[in-house]
Amino acid sequence: MKITFLGHAGALVEADGVKLVCDPWFSEGGAFLSGWHQLPDNRSCAPLVGEATHVYVSHDHQDHFDPDVLNALDPSVTLLMPDYPLPTWKRLIRTLRGPAPVLLGDQEVFRAGPLRLTLIHSPTPRHQDSALVIEDAATGQVVVNLNDCQVDRDQLRAIRRSHPRIDVVLAQFSGATWFPFAYSFPAAEQVEAAGRKKVNSMRRWTRYMQALAPRSAVAFAGPPALLDPGLAPHFFAESSVFTTPPELLAWLRREHPDLAERTVAPLPGDELDVATGRLFADPGIREEFDWENLADYVADYARRRASAIAEVVAGHPEPRHSLYDGFAAHFKALFAAGESLCRAVDAVAAFDVRGPGGGFWLVDFRSLEVREGTGPETDAHDYRFTLPSRYLPDILDGGMSWEEFFFSFRFSAWRPGIGAYNEELMSVLRCSDPDDLAEYLRRTAQGSERPAGTFPLRTRTGSYRVSDTCPHLGARLGPQDYDPELDSVVCPQHGWRFALPDGACSNGRARLGVSPAGPAADPDPDPDSDTLTDAPRRPRERQEDK
């Protein structure tokens, strides 16, 4: 097999006449209201999509799902996508004008010439994402494309059992969310939280590579470029969550030098020979781009994309009438679709919508009421989001979810403190659509998520039965996630920390189920021993991820 990297999470995998393109993203308007752009500019690779025999799209985020590319595909192309149950996903794929997609379930296998393609769905329905295992039956070579799907420990073990020898793993290594820089935390707290987030993202990437042990580990799927002048400072500020490949490689040389030696950070146009692990660098992209001169490159890139950014913003004109009635109806529909989850939010969220048609509006998840307010100084609230009114109609009309809007970074937020994260609130906003919220609650009620269990944990301070499911996003927990220095269970996915003996969380408004089960354990002469497929022990520094 040969892999040609197309920029961001894009890749072209070739084997014996099959040309599989993964997550092609080339839109000059970028993604998420033009908040994100490809880094570096990958337009020179766009013609390669025209050679595809198969295209795989992992999920609906706009930096993976590019409608312009998908609608232009030749009818002969086989388009592969996950078979997700949420209604908005079904509606989205029906809007495509290109080849009708082949929808694949979790662990479903699709044959493409010599390639055996196994789709792996995200381990929790709280997120729609997928990964792809690509096996060449003729050569035995195996490529695992995790993109930014956060597979759990059980899934990593299953992949390794099926494929003891893996040649290449591609996985996201950089943070990509709005926390902490969108929040009005004190500057020092923002910088500290961003640093933890960067390190946790690199540790998660390392855990994937240690679990799957590929011959070539690929830093993949990010970071994006923030080209709008109002957003660019978020990339370069001390509170930035965006890790660059040089930062990853420097960290690996300090922390995991053996892994650093087999890590590659390709640019668009680079080719990787899977058989030898040799990376062939594209000289053309290196004539115009160098990570060491990133600020100058981004400034010039922003000038080239300025008209495309302006066109996206102009596509969301300022409203000519009040948006309050539509806003109130939006949340009342969510209340009706998911009353139990909405009541569990147990908070008042304020939306400070600025510009024509806006106002200061309160969503009371305790009383399930929406009401107009006068301002943050006079109306009590627990959380606040401030946004321009021009983007709200698209959210209310279902053209964009709250999560997609938050990814644009075109907002600011407030909450009482870094540890006041409210998972129930973000779950409601993540769904955004009443049909999605109802489907999500139906699936969880019927046990569509992995059934929760417990695991035994003996520590120097006591013995416990501990829930094996992180209350943040449902990641699998086990005894190896106990950190004796912190006397806490630490989630391997996002670094959420749950203290013993009560399971209280330091990262958000959550608690892990913990019950006493006996006396303390004897000191363990080797408390950090772990199998190959488990996460490495995490030091004190932790990261929350929103």
Side-chain angles (χ1 to χ4, degrees):
M1 282 191 286
K2 181 180 76 171
I3 303 173
T4 303
F5 296 94
L6 307 180
H8 200 64
L12 166 62
V13 182
E14 299 180 67
D16 194 22
V18 174
K19 296 188 176 185
L20 170 67
V21 169
C22 302
D23 286 336
W25 175 40
F26 294 100
S27 171
E28 288 197 5
F32 306 119
L33 296 174
S34 214
W36 292 34
H37 292 263
Q38 305 85 350
L39 184 63
D41 188 345
N42 63 345
R43 66 188 186 281
S44 63
C45 293
L48 294 176
V49 179
E51 303 176 9
T53 59
H54 297 73
V55 171
Y56 158 65
V57 176
S58 61
H59 62 298
D60 61 348
H61 282 171
Q62 296 166 14
D63 56 321
H64 300 258
F65 190 108
D66 187 336
D68 292 338
V69 172
L70 301 180
N71 287 332
L73 291 176
D74 188 272
S76 65
V77 172
T78 300
L79 178 58
L80 305 173
M81 293 182 173
D83 188 9
Y84 296 136
L86 293 187
T88 53
W89 170 252
K90 306 287 191 186
R91 293 197 291 267
L92 178 63
I93 61 179
R94 285 199 296 269
T95 67
L96 294 175
R97 300 188 302 274
V102 177
L103 302 180
L104 301 176
D106 186 31
Q107 301 297 322
E108 189 168 352
V109 176
F110 185 90
R111 301 274 184 168
L115 298 184
R116 186 175 186 268
L117 310 176
T118 304
L119 199 72
I120 299 173
H121 285 207
S122 175
T124 168
R126 304 183 202 192
H127 277 289
Q128 290 192 145
D129 206 341
S130 69
L132 191 68
V133 178
I134 306 167
E135 180 183 7
D136 187 335
T139 64
Q141 295 166 1
V142 176
V143 173
V144 180
N145 179 8
L146 296 178
N147 62 86
D148 52 12
C149 181
Q150 294 184 9
V151 293
D152 67 14
R153 184 178 292 118
D154 290 348
Q155 291 173 310
L156 292 170
R157 286 172 170 160
I159 294 171
R160 189 68 185 280
R161 281 195 299 268
S162 298
H163 306 285
R165 180 184 181 278
I166 295 173
D167 295 280
V168 181
V169 174
L170 303 85
Q172 183 188 46
F173 66 96
S174 172
T177 65
W178 53 89
F179 173 87
F181 58 77
Y183 286 86
S184 57
F185 303 132
E189 292 185 18
Q190 280 203 1
V191 172
E192 182 182 5
R196 290 197 306 268
K197 181 175 180 59
K198 278 188 168 185
V199 171
N200 192 68
S201 295
M202 292 187 289
R203 286 198 180 113
R204 184 168 56 237
W205 183 90
T206 298
R207 180 172 65 88
Y208 296 152
M209 299 306 167
Q210 291 182 330
L212 298 177
R215 293 194 305 145
S216 297
V218 180
F220 197 55
L226 311 186
L227 302 182
D228 189 302
L231 303 178
H234 293 319
F235 192 104
F236 294 103
E238 288 185 279
S239 58
S240 169
V241 299
F242 304 107
T243 305
T244 64
E247 289 177 302
L248 171 68
L249 290 168
W251 182 82
L252 287 173
R253 292 184 189 109
R254 294 192 305 269
E255 302 291 333
H256 305 281
D258 292 343
L259 178 56
E261 291 181 1
R262 52 192 172 93
T263 295
V264 295
L267 294 177
D270 289 355
E271 296 179 355
L272 179 67
D273 185 311
V274 173
T276 64
R278 182 179 176 186
L279 184 72
F280 296 88
D282 183 332
I285 190 69
R286 285 164 176 78
E287 291 177 0
E288 61 183 64
F289 178 79
D290 185 341
W291 286 107
E292 300 304 322
N293 297 313
L294 185 58
D296 291 341
Y297 176 85
V298 166
D300 181 65
Y301 190 10
R303 285 190 288 271
R304 300 199 307 269
R305 286 281 175 96
S307 60
I309 295 171
E311 183 178 350
V312 171
V313 173
H316 296 80
E318 291 185 336
R320 297 182 178 180
H321 56 82
S322 173
L323 300 175
Y324 175 73
D325 288 344
F327 176 87
H330 171 76
F331 276 99
K332 288 176 181 177
L334 292 175
F335 294 159
E339 179 178 349
S340 60
L341 181 59
C342 289
R343 288 195 182 278
V345 172
D346 190 29
V348 175
F351 290 78
D352 191 354
V353 182
R354 298 187 175 181
F360 190 81
W361 304 326
L362 302 165
V363 180
D364 190 332
F365 287 92
R366 298 185 180 104
S367 63
L368 301 187
E369 294 177 336
V370 182
R371 58 183 181 272
E372 295 185 270
T374 57
E377 293 80 17
T378 55
D379 294 295
H381 55 281
D382 305 289
Y383 300 89
R384 183 170 70 250
F385 302 95
T386 302
L387 64 149
S389 61
R390 67 189 315 144
Y391 302 119
L392 185 57
D394 205 20
I395 299 173
L396 302 182
D397 293 341
M400 172 172 55
S401 70
W402 283 104
E403 181 182 57
E404 288 173 316
F405 172 69
F406 291 154
F407 272 125
S408 77
F409 308 144
R410 297 183 181 278
F411 77 106
S412 61
W414 172 89
R415 69 186 192 216
I418 283 182
Y421 175 71
N422 188 318
E423 173 58 32
E424 291 81 9
L425 172 60
M426 296 312 296
S427 292
V428 172
L429 297 178
R430 189 179 299 122
C431 288
S432 286
D433 182 272
D435 293 338
D436 279 6
L437 185 57
E439 173 64 19
Y440 167 68
L441 292 175
R442 185 192 66 79
R443 294 183 70 208
T444 54
Q446 293 181 354
S448 297
E449 288 194 287
R450 175 182 58 80
T454 62
F455 62 88
L457 180 63
R458 297 190 70 197
T459 75
R460 293 179 176 88
T461 58
S463 293
Y464 308 93
R465 297 295 306 185
V466 181
S467 171
D468 67 355
T469 302
C470 177
H472 175 212
L473 289 177
R476 173 81 79 173
L477 304 175
Q480 62 271 44
D481 298 316
Y482 173 69
D483 188 321
E485 294 181 14
L486 299 171
D487 197 25
S488 299
V489 174
V490 181
C491 177
Q493 289 290 60
H494 299 105
W496 279 41
R497 187 170 68 204
F498 303 93
L500 298 178
D502 61 357
C505 181
S506 62
N507 304 81
R509 200 190 64 169
R511 187 176 297 273
L512 184 67
V514 179
S515 58
D522 294 330
D524 185 347
D526 185 19
D528 302 327
S529 63
D530 240 345
T531 64
L532 176 65
T533 57
D534 284 334
R537 178 180 173 229
R538 287 152 297 280
R540 295 184 67 88
E541 195 169 288
R542 294 294 178 265
Q543 173 59 43
E544 62 178 346
D545 192 324
K546 307 304 175 278

